[in-house]
């Protein structure tokens, strides 16, 4: 039977930081654990020590005993690696698709029965020949999961297992987790799944034990049925903080004086094709000031492609008739003129910031004024005061000198949201903004977005799979399906 790591008064450290108190935890065979904590609360230390990237007193994990990790961070690291190895400039046709799903899973030649079963259980057959860097959030999550189960590791760290997934992917993974968890509990498998999350929601049925952290300390360790979530901060104090930051943004928007009456976005018969598939098919869509849009659809249907046509991160925008703020893209406009009017939170931006992870937190927030990844301008006193207010709002007060890379994934995402709104842009594009956020930060961010929408400070384009993240202000819906099918709805 699998020999599980045991922690007895163990001090866990990583890069000079540590849990607030030593950890005692004795997982046993047949137990399926969910490890919980708010953003920065402590669970990341445990995940890191199990993966071999942090140290713990009295615990040595040889490489073969370290956990395989499936997480938002692991997905980002994989795409970073694919981009660094991109040889598009040196191959015929100018497109290097990189490693395919088949190749990544070790199936270049023959496909083993075990690999075939993983591909079938995780619904990967349709995308098996596609390059990793072209996968959607749900597709790459399922691919990482298959890789983890094929790795031969007996310990799996499964972090935020349902974040950013459509309903079909959630059903696929839920069924898979039940099979894996039940097999472990019944002693039919040597693979022990450990689930890590910020919120106590969509917990796999197989979970029977909870380990919860807060402020670097264990606040609960025991049976799932006995667990009660720690209460978030009072609604009154949170609402007051949200109102104060909305006031700040309203003043900033007034100073900018944006009053253009042209549509913010206009797409005419826009079509995009790649990898032999139709992503967008003759899309006609107009976004006017004060019209807040919910963009929804299954993983891989083209939602991110759509937003990247607006931000300029997809070169096919020049092959289509697309207008931003009344001017057609590709007619000599400056990219900085466009970016000045946009705020953005996306997986791509998060990935780019992870690649310059040494940037300090103050610089990340201030870069929102200049639309840069990293800060290359001198910091004025007024900018620093603004950054201090936003950092305090996000719970980063006094940490302005910390590096971006020192934060957990959820903390990084929260900081990028602050960066996106700091200049009160006329158009704010939010592609799954709440990835990795705990309950308190998620509620605070959604309240702020609703407030700035109500005050007509900015117009929202919001991509999400989470029904409880849909904002009351989002009366317009762009519903997308695979194959370029779309519908324009109101509610």
């Amino acid at each position: 039977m699998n020999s599980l790591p045991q922690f007895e008064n163990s001090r866990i450290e990583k890069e000079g930081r540590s849990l607030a108190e030593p950890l005692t935890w004795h997982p046993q065979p047949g137990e399926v654990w969910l490890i919980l904590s708010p953003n920065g609360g402590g669970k990341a230390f445990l995940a890191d020590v199990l993966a071999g990237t942090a140290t713990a007193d009295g615990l040595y994990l040889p490489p073969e005993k370290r956990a395989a990790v499936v997480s938002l961070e692991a997905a980002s690291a994989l795409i970073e690696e694919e981009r660094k190895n991109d040889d598009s400039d040196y191959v015929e046709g100018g497109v290097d698709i990189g490693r395919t799903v088949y190749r990544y899973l070790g199936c270049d030649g023959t496909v083993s029965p075990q690999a075939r079963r993983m591909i079938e259980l995780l619904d990967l057959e349709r995308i098996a020949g596609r390059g990793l860097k072209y996968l959607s959030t749900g597709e790459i999550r399922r691919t990482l999961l298959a890789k983890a189960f094929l790795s031969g590791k007996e310990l799996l760290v499964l972090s935020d297992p349902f974040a950013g997934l459509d309903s079909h992917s959630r059903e696929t993974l839920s069924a898979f987790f039940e099979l894996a968890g039940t097999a472990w509990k019944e002693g039919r498998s040597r693979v022990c799944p450990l689930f890590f999350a910020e919120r106590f929601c969509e917990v796999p049925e197989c979970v029977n034990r909870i380990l919860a952290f807060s402020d670097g300390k264990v606040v609960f360790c025991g049976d799932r049925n006995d667990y009660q979530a720690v209460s978030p901060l009072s609604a009154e104090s949170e609402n007051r903080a949200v109102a104060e930051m909305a006031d700040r943004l309203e003043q900033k928007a007034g100073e900018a004086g944006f009053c253009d009456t042209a549509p913010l976005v206009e797409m005419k018969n826009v079509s995009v094709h790649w990898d032999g598939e139709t992503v967008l098919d003759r899309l006609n869509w107009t976004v006017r000031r004060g019209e807040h849009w919910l963009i929804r659809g299954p993983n891989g249907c083209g939602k991110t492609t759509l937003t990247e046509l607006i931000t300029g991160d997809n070169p096919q925008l020049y092959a289509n008739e697309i207008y931003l703020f009344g001017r057609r893209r590709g007619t000599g406009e400056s990219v900085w003129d466009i970016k000045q009017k946009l705020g953005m939170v996306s997986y791509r931006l998060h990935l780019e910031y992870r690649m310059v992870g040494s940037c300090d937190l103050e610089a990340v927030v201030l870069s929102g004024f200049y639309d840069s990844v990293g800060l290359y301008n001198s910091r004025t006193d007024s900018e620093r005061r603004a950054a201090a207010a936003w950092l305090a709002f996000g719970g980063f007060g006094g940490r302005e000198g910390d590096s971006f890379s020192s934060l957990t994934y959820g903390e990084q995402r929260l900081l990028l949201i602050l960066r996106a709104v700091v200049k009160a842009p006329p158009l704010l594009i939010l592609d799954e903004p709440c990835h990795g956020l705990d309950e308190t930060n998620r509620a605070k961010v959604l309240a702020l977005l609703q407030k700035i929408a109500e005050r007509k400070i900015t117009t929202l384009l919001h991509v999400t799979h989470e029904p409880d993240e849909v904002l009351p202000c989002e009366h317009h819906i762009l519903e997308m399906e695979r194959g370029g099918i779309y519908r324009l709805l109101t509610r």
Side-chain angles (χ1 to χ4, degrees), residues 384-439:
R384 285 192 138 156
R385 286 193 295 271
W390 282 104
L391 289 171
F393 175 73
F396 302 109
R399 299 177 62 187
E400 61 275 358
D402 289 4
S403 69
F404 185 77
S405 61
S406 71
L407 303 182
T408 65
Y409 189 95
E411 289 177 312
Q412 290 176 355
R413 181 55 64 100
L414 176 59
L415 193 68
L416 293 177
I417 293 171
L418 305 183
R419 175 194 179 276
V421 302
V422 68
K423 65 179 178 182
L427 184 63
L428 186 56
I429 301 173
L430 305 157
D431 192 348
E432 298 283 3
C434 294
H435 268 183
L437 297 191
D438 61 35
E439 202 67 63

Side-chain angles (χ1 to χ4, degrees), residues 234-361:
S234 72
E236 182 180 351
S237 63
E238 288 297 285
N239 290 339
R240 184 167 58 250
V242 166
E244 289 173 356
M245 301 318 287
D247 290 342
R248 179 180 291 273
L249 289 175
E250 194 164 28
Q251 180 180 352
K252 187 70 179 176
E255 294 170 356
F258 179 79
C259 56
D260 196 340
T261 59
L264 302 179
V265 180
E266 195 170 9
M267 296 188 177
K268 299 183 177 182
N269 290 312
V270 169
S271 295
V272 174
H273 308 271
W274 54 263
D275 198 23
E277 294 188 14
T278 297
V279 181
L280 300 176
D281 186 21
R282 292 169 293 178
L283 172 65
N284 289 283
W285 182 46
T286 301
V287 178
R288 296 177 177 85
R289 191 176 183 186
E291 291 183 351
H292 308 291
W293 284 82
L294 169 67
I295 303 170
R296 69 187 185 194
N299 295 127
C301 71
K303 301 185 297 297
T304 296
T305 297
L306 177 75
T307 60
E308 290 183 348
L309 288 172
I310 300 172
T311 61
D313 293 314
N314 189 312
Q316 293 203 41
L317 73 92
Y318 298 110
N320 284 285
E321 191 173 353
I322 300 174
Y323 299 81
L324 292 186
F325 311 107
R327 183 165 184 173
R328 182 169 179 174
R329 293 303 308 265
T331 57
E333 79 284 2
S334 163
V335 65
W336 300 109
D337 288 339
I338 296 296
K339 287 191 172 186
Q340 187 179 21
K341 300 182 180 73
L342 291 176
M344 179 73 183
V345 180
S346 70
Y347 181 74
R348 176 190 283 265
L349 178 68
H350 199 149
L351 183 63
E352 289 175 346
Y353 252 102
R354 285 173 61 87
M355 297 176 76
V356 290
S358 60
C359 192
D360 65 73
L361 306 194

Side-chain angles (χ1 to χ4, degrees), residues 125-167:
E125 188 67 48
R126 185 180 63 86
I127 62 168
R130 188 179 299 171
L132 295 175
K133 58 192 169 189
Y134 301 112
L135 300 183
S136 70
T137 301
E139 291 164 347
I140 201 164
R141 183 74 56 79
R142 299 199 308 271
T143 300
L144 282 168
L145 191 57
K147 180 73 170 181
F149 270 86
L150 293 171
S151 68
K153 299 284 188 180
E154 296 183 354
L155 199 59
L156 301 188
V157 167
L158 307 172
S159 181
D160 292 312
F162 299 110
L165 301 186
D166 60 29
S167 58

Side-chain angles (χ1 to χ4, degrees), residues 23-90:
L23 172 65
T24 295
W25 180 48
H26 301 292
Q28 299 299 313
E31 296 175 342
V32 181
W33 286 83
L34 171 67
I35 294 88
L36 287 168
S37 85
N39 296 135
K43 73 180 186 310
F45 281 99
L46 179 56
D48 287 338
V49 79
L50 294 174
T53 57
T55 60
D57 290 348
L59 178 71
Y60 169 70
L61 285 176
E64 66 274 11
K65 288 293 185 181
R66 292 173 187 167
V69 179
V70 180
S71 65
L72 295 166
E73 291 95 332
S76 295
L78 179 58
I79 299 305
E80 285 177 37
E81 185 180 353
E82 287 299 296
R83 289 187 176 182
K84 287 177 182 176
N85 295 329
D86 191 325
D87 289 330
S88 294
D89 292 338
Y90 309 105

